[in-house]
Amino acid sequence: MSPATLLAWVGEASLALQGTADLIARQLHHAPVLCADESGLRVDGKLHWMHVAATAELTWYGMHAKRGLDAIVAHGILPKRIGVLVHDCWAPYWKLDDGLHALCNAHLLRELVYAQEVTGQQWPTAMTELLLNAQRLSAAARQQGRPFDADAIAAFTIVYNDIVRQGEQLNPPQLKPDGSSGRCKQSDAYNLLRRFRLHADAILRFIADPTVPFSNNIAERAVRMPKVKQKISGCFRTIAGADNFCIIRSCLDTLRKQGHSMLEVLRRAFTGDPIMQLRSGRTVNNRIQYHGPEAQTDRRPEEGEGTVHDYLHQRKTKAGTSSGPDRWPGSR
């Protein structure tokens, strides 16, 4: 079988699946919770960017020469959508102000580990414990059919702000000498704390909204297969080949999530009967298998393992502080 035959089949499959890929994009645009990510790939000898939008049941890939807002607007999925966008705090995502934002806490956990190693201070450890315990306890509450009420969410926020305040006291901003122009370079710890202060609502959104995941793992997992392909083949030789890959992979990954055989998806595409019936993409849940420091958050809590009040009491005992409420609302 000649390479030209294989190349022709790829183009034929892409053309047959274009309608399914367009349907996936439309459903993602209206999804109540959407995870997004991007990663660099070599195309035609140059750096291009593969953009990913995904939910638990839908995956879409798109290639573009740019990484930023130009690509996001050209693809048309993320702009002007009403819903929650989960991402990694990359600056162009914040320009999409039509909906709500949620940050990937897995990224923050890694940065907190680095901050603790560099500074030797205790606030990174305290924030890590807060995020992990908040995820564990909120998942347990949802599992029992009683998500946190407004008072419980406010109690978490009090502890969160207290930890940020402690870090800010230890890492004040660096000021330029009088008469100097421009901004003064700040420490990594200060910049991380500034992010925690500015984006508190997005960081803690998984507590308030049970449909929002703790991390951006769904989008990041979607990136892995194309990166493995690049590692094996080196690059895409043409832009058309990269676009064909994105269309075919969007359909295969989506329909795999929805229980279809990938061989059957391709068979129907080549016979002129592509699958066009898609589930609209249920909201992301918190039972995703995480990797790294956040992995322990996927474990189901044992009966009587702990409550929100237990965590607060342990934290006050460790820190020797009385900050925060004496009892968490709804705790026993």
Side-chain angles (χ1 to χ4, degrees):
M1 187 178 298
S2 70
T5 299
L6 294 175
L7 182 62
W9 285 349
V10 169
E12 184 179 344
S14 174
L15 184 63
L17 291 171
Q18 181 67 67
T20 305
D22 292 341
L23 178 60
I24 293 169
R26 289 195 297 271
Q27 292 191 356
L28 283 169
H29 178 76
H30 296 289
V33 179
L34 178 63
C35 299
D37 200 6
E38 74 290 327
S39 183
L41 288 177
R42 303 292 296 180
V43 180
D44 192 24
K46 300 176 183 178
L47 177 63
H48 283 62
W49 293 91
M50 182 188 66
H51 294 254
V52 176
T55 67
E57 291 193 337
L58 301 167
T59 306
W60 182 90
Y61 297 88
M63 198 72 67
H64 200 277
K66 298 290 184 67
R67 183 186 182 188
L69 194 61
D70 289 345
I72 292 173
V73 172
H75 290 149
I77 295 178
L78 303 186
K80 298 181 180 179
R81 62 179 302 275
I82 305 300
V84 179
L85 177 63
V86 184
H87 56 85
D88 57 6
C89 205
W90 187 48
Y93 289 126
W94 295 110
K95 297 179 181 179
L96 303 170
D97 54 4
D98 300 290
L100 299 175
H101 293 261
L103 287 185
C104 174
N105 284 290
H107 282 79
L108 294 174
L109 289 175
R110 290 191 286 269
E111 293 190 64
L112 286 167
V113 170
Y114 175 75
Q116 197 282 325
E117 292 174 349
V118 170
T119 66
Q121 298 166 359
Q122 292 304 309
W123 66 267
T125 301
M127 183 62 77
T128 298
E129 292 177 353
L130 170 66
L131 293 175
L132 292 177
N133 278 286
Q135 198 282 336
R136 175 177 61 84
L137 293 168
S138 61
R142 283 190 292 272
Q143 185 179 337
Q144 297 168 12
R146 49 178 186 84
F148 291 138
D149 58 21
D151 290 338
I153 296 168
F156 274 111
T157 305
I158 289 173
V159 178
Y160 175 95
N161 289 331
D162 181 58
I163 295 172
V164 173
R165 186 163 48 250
Q166 293 176 19
E168 289 172 337
Q169 292 174 353
L170 296 173
N171 299 274
Q174 299 295 318
L175 302 177
K176 275 188 171 291
D178 293 340
S180 299
S181 61
R183 294 186 299 175
C184 183
K185 179 178 175 59
Q186 304 294 335
S187 67
D188 291 336
Y190 173 85
N191 291 331
L192 179 58
L193 284 162
R194 184 173 181 272
R195 202 179 321 154
F196 275 110
R197 176 66 72 189
L198 291 177
H199 304 306
D201 289 342
I203 293 170
L204 297 178
R205 196 167 305 283
F206 73 95
I207 299 175
D209 187 343
T211 67
V212 174
F214 180 75
S215 80
N216 197 26
N217 188 261
I218 280 185
E220 292 178 354
R221 285 191 300 177
V223 171
R224 292 172 191 166
M225 181 271 176
K227 297 299 288 187
V228 171
K229 181 188 183 306
Q230 178 181 247
K231 184 176 181 180
I232 295 172
S233 61
C235 67
F236 291 96
R237 292 191 175 183
T238 65
I239 295 176
D243 290 338
N244 288 339
F245 171 84
C246 288
I247 293 170
I248 296 171
R249 182 61 189 172
S250 296
C251 298
L252 290 179
D253 199 45
T254 292
L255 293 168
R256 175 193 62 81
K257 290 179 177 180
Q258 302 197 8
H260 295 276
S261 164
M262 289 192 281
L263 286 178
E264 178 65 12
V265 173
L266 292 175
R267 186 194 69 79
R268 288 186 56 174
F270 282 116
T271 57
D273 182 30
I275 297 174
M276 296 293 291
Q277 297 295 323
L278 302 177
R279 294 195 294 269
S280 59
R282 65 178 181 267
T283 54
V284 182
N285 59 57
N286 282 285
R287 292 293 302 152
I288 301 166
Q289 292 293 328
Y290 296 111
H291 302 276
E294 68 278 14
Q296 58 186 290
T297 64
D298 187 60
R299 180 177 55 83
R300 289 175 181 254
E302 300 294 336
E303 182 68 24
E305 182 180 12
T307 64
V308 182
H309 172 63
D310 294 334
Y311 164 67
L312 175 62
H313 177 72
Q314 293 171 6
R315 181 182 180 277
K316 289 169 66 175
T317 301
K318 284 183 180 180
T321 177
S322 59
S323 62
D326 291 333
R327 290 187 62 83
W328 292 84
S331 63
R332 291 180 284 179

